[in-house]
Each structure stands twice: as structure tokens, then as C-alpha cells.
Amino acid sequence: MALVLTFVAIGLLVGLSVIAGKHRTVKAIDVAGLNFLTPVVRLCYGEEPHKQLKDIGRFIVVPAFAVCVFVAAWFVVSDKIQTKSGKLPDPLETWQSAKSILQFHTRENDKQQAYNLTGEDRENKLKEVEEQLAGLQSRVDSANELVAEAKQSAADSLTEQIAPLQAKYDELKQKYDAAKKTRETELKELAATAAVQDSKTDYLAGVRSHRKRLDTEKDHLRDLKSEISALRAVKNPEVAAALAAQTAVAEERQYLQKMQDQLTSSNRTTKIEKEQAKLAAAEAKLDAAPPAELYRAATSVVRSEDRIESIATSEYAKPATLPFQTARSVLCVFFGFFLGSAIAIPIGVLCGLSKTFMAAMTPFIAAFKPVSPIVWLPVALIIVGGFIPDPDKNPLIQWLWDLPWLGKYQINPAFIASAITVALCSLWATMVNTAFGVASVEKDHINVARVLRLGFWDRLFKIVLPSALPLVFAGLRISLGVGWMVLIAAELLSSSEGIGKFVWDQFNNGASDSFAKMVVVVFVVGVIGLALDRMMIVFQRLVSFDGAPTAI
């Protein structure tokens, strides 16, 4: 799959170079920081083929080969690393877990749509789901039979492997028990004759020898028992495959049953129709109610109206899936990144302009820069909790929840505290780089500004900041990378809905595929971090004027 995607990407690049031209394509690649693709474009135009092929081998083929070596080593090592949570998942198991995560997300979206379906669309979808359920029973029976057969075969094979070891264990245990009794009897008989001091010394040596032999025999039996336990602990691949197939069918059946439920009794339209029928009955009782029963009848009508209104505005209680949590994490890191940048850039500018201000800020930078996010997060949680004790009654939180796109992410105090932690841990690189960039503005530029009699603000926005922008964006790039690393730990500790919480939930879950899902998250975090870094490289290149490379 990766090779196919690579060839597709190269094909698209070749097509782009033909349409846009060599120089434009090379310039776009350079701005994007993807300079390893430049030899491909130059080769398409026949520019120094030998040199371009050499660069392609160095910058594309060698890294691709290194990835293949990594995957092969992963396959080898995964079988040798055993943990309490099972063995290290290999690449295929990790890929299957990734597909499972995506499938869960897709199915939850289907349930959400089914909850909102009405009229003919709901009837057609219900018919489709019922047909799938009817055809699923044969697969369930087949999967159950395969599991039973695989377990029986594995049990027979295990019994065959363990039988010789168990027989040897039983034989040795009986032999060692008899030898123990014999030695103890002999020692008890010798005790009567060990009256003098020399005899007691010999007797004590005999007891020591007896205890040493007991320990040796116990170690031997323990080794045999461990060998038997190790054989029992080995997972049979046929059983694992049969159980995986059974689980997949069971999950599909549960999904279809839930879909059927969302299209019938739990469907929003169906529930509204039921409540409307109850409202009609309540109104009829209200019309016929005597004065003594009027209050109760009117209350019943009002309650029915409230339930209808509540159901009409309700949504499917969709659990947080990894794609949703990933989007929320990215939103949180940008929130913290922009907050930190809003603090760091002005202070950095002041530090660069004034050595006195820089001297005043140095103790704070030196003291707070090394502070761990694990320290900042509880402080942020306490402060945010003090300002927002009850999110359901806070006007700012309610306003954020009512926003069209942002509202679905349910920004809460934990989200805000995580973002503040990101800001506090990531702003230092931007602050230092901004100060260095402002302080490094060439004196000739400042002298020209003085000759032109530019005011302070004109000098700042027309001379100082444009000259410092490359270093400012270099600091922003570092800050965004630091913020992304910090965020995962902050979400894990604060239980804020995001990638960190997903990892923590899988760690505590203990399911058979939890370990593999955590490995999937490793790659998700890495790919997103790479994308964020590439994005900042583009911005950095756009404001750079010296042509210096910004990325490997």
C-alpha cells in the first residue's frame, strides 16, 4: 500500500511538473520543504540524469529501504517481546487495529444518521438492515463452529506437548518426595547418636546438605512447572484467528441490531410520534377533567409538550471516536499555540528592542522555561475551575457550545486548562527567537530608518518585524512541535476528550487489541506532528528572504 501511494504521488508530481513547468514546480517543492522530490522533477526534464538518479537513490530509495528494514525488524521483534498486556503487536495487527478504529467511527456515524432519518429514507434503510441481519445468522453459526473446532484442536495439541513434561514432573516430584522422607528419617536417627560436639558439627553439616538438596529439587520442579505454564500461555494462531473472526461477526451483528433500534423504537421521529400520541390522550383527558383533576391533567399535557420539544432538539449520544478526538486535540493545540504566541511575540519584541527589559525578563525565562507540563496542568485546572466552577451555567461556555462548528467539540474547563498548559510550555522558543531576531536587525536598516525620520511604529512594522520574521517563524515552528508533545500528556492527565484520553482509556481497558490501538496512536501522533511541522515550514519559507534551507 505504501509503495502504491509513493508511486501515485510521484506520478502526480510528474504530471504537475509537466503542467506547471520545471521552475515553478521546484520552487513549490522548496517552499513546502519537500526538497527530496526535486531530483524527480529535474530528471523528468533530463537535467544531469546521473546526478539526479544518485540523489533519488540517496533521498528516496535509501529512506524507503530503511522503512522496509524497520518493518521487517518490527515483525521479528514483536514475537520476542512479551508483556502483561500480551506480545508487542506486529505491523499487520496494528493495521487491523487501525481499520477497526476507522470502522467503529464509520458505524457510529451511521447510527447518528439512522437516528435522524425520517419517512421513506428510514423505511428503506430499515429494510436493508433487516435483510443484512437475516443473512448474518449463518455467518454467526459458522464462526462459532470454527472457534469450537480450533479450540479443540489447540487443546489436543497442547495436551500432546504437555503430557511428557507433566509425566516427568509427576515422576520427579514423587522421587524427590521419597528422597526427602528418606533423608529426614536418616537425620532423625542420627540425632540420637550426635551427643558429643564433633558429632553435632557433622550432624549440622548433614542438615545443611539436606536443605541444599531440597532447594535444588524445588528449583528443578519449578523450572518444569514454568515450562508447562509457558506452553499453556502460548496463543494458538488458529484459535486467535477464529476468535477474531467470531468477534468481527459479533460486532457486525451488534451494529446492525443497534441500527435497527435507531431506525425503530429509538428513532427521533418514532419517539416524537409516540409522545404526540400521549399528548393527544393527555389533551383529551384535560378536556374531560373535572375541576378537582384539572391541575393534574394540565401538568400531564405540559410534561408531554416538554418531552416533545426535548426529543425534537436531541441528538444521538455518539461516543467519542479517535478521528473526533484527534480533531479536538488539533483544535486544542492550536488554541494553546495562538495563546502562547500572543504572549511570546510582544514580549520577545520588547526584549529585542531593550536590553534593560531583556535583563528584567531573563530570571523569569530561566525559572519557568524548564517547568514540566505535569506541574503546569494542575495549576491551570485549579485556576480555570475557579473561574468556571459550573460549565453548564457559564455564559462563555454556553456561547461556545452554541456555535455552529465549534460547539460539537464541547469546550470545557479541561480543554481550556490543557490549552493553557500547551501555551505555558511552548511559548519560550518563540519568545527567545523573536528577541534574537529583533536584536539581530542590521544596523544599516536602522540607520536608513533614522535618515528617513520614521517614527517608532513605522520602524517597528516596516523595518524590525519584517527583518525578524524568519527567526520568529523558526521559533513558532519549534513551539508548535513542543505544544503537540505537551498536549498528549495534558489530555491524559486532565481526562480532556482527545488523543491522550484515548490512550489512557485503552491502557485501562485491557482488551485484546488495546495494545495495538495504542501503537496506532503512536503513528497518528507522529503523522500529525509531521503535518504540523511541514505547515510551519511553508510559512517559514514564505517569509524567508535569504534562501536558507529550513528543513532536512
Side-chain angles (χ1 to χ4, degrees):
M1 179 61 72
L3 290 175
V4 172
L5 292 175
T6 302
F7 284 122
V8 170
I10 292 176
L12 291 173
L13 179 64
V14 172
L16 177 65
S17 65
V18 172
I19 296 172
K22 181 180 73 172
H23 296 293
R24 288 184 178 179
T25 306
V26 170
K27 179 63 177 176
I29 289 173
D30 180 62
V31 170
L34 303 175
N35 295 327
F36 66 92
L37 295 175
T38 301
V40 178
V41 176
R42 296 189 183 279
L43 183 64
C44 293
Y45 284 90
E47 182 181 325
E48 298 181 282
H50 179 72
K51 180 178 182 302
Q52 307 311 328
L53 287 173
K54 184 178 179 181
D55 288 343
I56 289 173
R58 179 183 299 167
F59 299 119
I60 296 178
V61 176
V62 171
F65 178 73
V67 171
C68 294
V69 171
F70 167 76
V71 172
W74 185 3
F75 268 112
V76 173
V77 171
S78 61
D79 289 329
K80 301 182 182 301
I81 299 179
Q82 295 289 335
T83 69
K84 294 181 180 179
S85 300
K87 78 175 189 68
L88 178 70
D90 60 36
L92 288 178
E93 293 169 339
T94 303
W95 176 252
Q96 291 298 326
S97 292
K99 290 169 62 177
S100 173
I101 291 171
L102 186 59
Q103 185 182 64
F104 176 71
H105 174 72
T106 304
R107 286 178 173 178
E108 289 302 320
N109 286 340
D110 291 343
K111 294 173 189 176
Q112 186 178 31
Q113 293 174 1
Y115 178 79
N116 297 321
L117 284 178
T118 60
E120 187 176 349
D121 291 337
R122 182 172 69 89
E123 296 297 331
N124 292 337
K125 190 65 177 178
L126 178 60
K127 182 179 179 181
E128 178 185 340
V129 169
E130 288 176 342
E131 289 176 354
Q132 291 177 350
L133 267 175
L136 194 65
Q137 186 58 44
S138 59
R139 290 174 57 193
V140 172
D141 296 337
S142 175
N144 292 337
E145 290 177 4
L146 286 175
V147 169
E149 291 175 1
K151 285 185 174 180
Q152 184 60 48
S153 175
D156 294 340
S157 175
L158 184 62
T159 302
E160 185 178 348
Q161 291 177 346
I162 289 177
L165 291 173
Q166 188 65 45
K168 184 177 180 181
Y169 176 85
D170 295 337
E171 179 184 352
L172 286 176
K173 191 172 187 310
Q174 186 177 5
K175 176 183 176 181
Y176 291 157
D177 288 343
K180 175 185 174 183
K181 290 180 180 179
T182 301
R183 290 195 303 270
E184 287 179 347
T185 302
E186 292 175 352
L187 288 171
K188 289 177 181 179
E189 291 175 353
L190 288 173
T193 61
V196 297
Q197 187 64 31
D198 293 340
S199 299
K200 288 182 179 179
T201 302
D202 294 339
Y203 183 77
L204 187 60
V207 172
R208 287 198 186 100
S209 175
H210 167 64
R211 298 297 299 177
K212 186 177 293 186
R213 290 188 63 181
L214 279 180
D215 291 339
T216 303
E217 291 165 355
K218 286 179 180 178
D219 290 340
H220 192 189
L221 292 175
R222 191 180 298 112
D223 290 342
L224 281 174
K225 200 69 175 178
S226 298
E227 193 173 348
I228 293 171
S229 299
L231 287 174
R232 293 185 186 277
V234 174
K235 291 184 178 180
N236 186 284
E238 295 179 359
V239 174
L243 286 173
Q246 185 188 48
T247 301
V249 174
E251 288 177 350
E252 185 176 357
R253 185 177 188 178
Q254 184 182 23
Y255 156 69
L256 291 173
Q257 289 174 341
K258 186 66 176 179
M259 282 287 291
Q260 186 181 40
D261 184 51
Q262 295 298 318
L263 292 165
T264 52
S265 60
S266 295
N267 183 265
R268 181 162 59 186
T269 302
T270 304
K271 291 196 288 187
I272 289 176
E273 290 172 353
K274 289 180 180 178
E275 288 300 328
Q276 286 175 340
K278 291 180 181 179
L279 176 60
E283 288 175 342
K285 288 183 179 180
L286 178 64
D287 293 338
E293 299 292 331
L294 191 60
Y295 175 75
R296 181 180 296 177
T299 302
S300 179
V301 170
V302 173
R303 286 177 178 173
S304 294
E305 291 173 345
D306 290 343
R307 281 196 294 268
I308 291 173
E309 183 179 357
S310 176
I311 293 171
T313 58
S314 66
E315 294 291 340
Y316 170 69
K318 179 182 174 182
T321 59
L322 182 58
F324 171 83
Q325 291 170 310
T326 301
R328 197 171 187 269
S329 292
V330 172
L331 178 65
C332 186
V333 78
F334 273 111
F335 188 92
F337 171 70
F338 287 127
L339 177 62
S341 300
I343 298 171
I345 292 176
I347 295 177
V349 170
L350 293 174
C351 289
L353 293 174
S354 171
K355 293 183 178 179
T356 303
F357 190 83
M358 182 64 181
M361 292 302 300
T362 298
F364 299 100
I365 297 173
F368 293 137
K369 185 180 178 181
V371 177
S372 167
I374 298 176
V375 178
W376 282 123
L377 180 65
V379 175
L381 283 170
I382 292 171
I383 294 174
V384 173
F387 282 98
I388 310 175
D390 188 357
D392 294 329
K393 296 180 180 179
N394 186 274
L396 175 62
I397 298 297
Q398 291 298 317
W399 176 73
L400 290 172
W401 288 356
D402 292 335
L403 291 177
W405 175 79
L406 200 62
K408 67 178 181 179
Y409 293 106
Q410 292 290 293
I411 293 176
N412 54 15
F415 178 97
I416 297 173
S418 298
I420 291 174
T421 303
V422 168
L424 291 171
C425 292
S426 65
L427 61 85
W428 309 108
T430 300
M431 184 184 297
V432 171
N433 272 43
T434 301
F436 181 68
V438 170
S440 301
V441 175
E442 294 185 16
K443 296 299 180 183
D444 291 341
H445 294 169
I446 302 298
N447 293 334
V448 169
R450 287 172 180 167
V451 170
L452 295 175
R453 296 184 179 180
L454 295 179
F456 172 78
W457 296 108
D458 286 334
R459 275 186 289 169
L460 178 64
F461 287 103
K462 293 181 180 179
I463 303 294
V464 175
L465 288 182
S467 299
L469 274 180
L471 280 172
V472 172
F473 272 88
L476 289 172
R477 178 186 170 194
I478 297 170
S479 292
L480 187 57
V482 171
W484 182 241
M485 289 190 294
V486 166
L487 175 68
I488 308 303
E491 288 178 337
L492 190 148
L493 293 173
S494 67
S495 294
S496 177
E497 218 42 90
I499 296 179
K501 186 174 184 298
F502 179 87
V503 172
W504 185 246
D505 290 342
Q506 294 303 319
F507 177 77
N508 292 315
N509 188 11
S512 58
D513 61 343
S514 293
F515 196 2
K517 287 180 178 178
M518 286 189 280
V519 176
V520 171
V521 172
V522 171
F523 290 97
V524 170
V525 172
V527 169
I528 294 174
L530 175 64
L532 295 176
D533 187 66
R534 295 294 104 177
M535 180 189 71
M536 292 307 299
I537 284 176
V538 172
F539 288 120
Q540 186 179 353
R541 295 294 292 180
L542 289 174
V543 300
S544 295
F545 40 78
D546 56 358
T550 59
I552 296 175

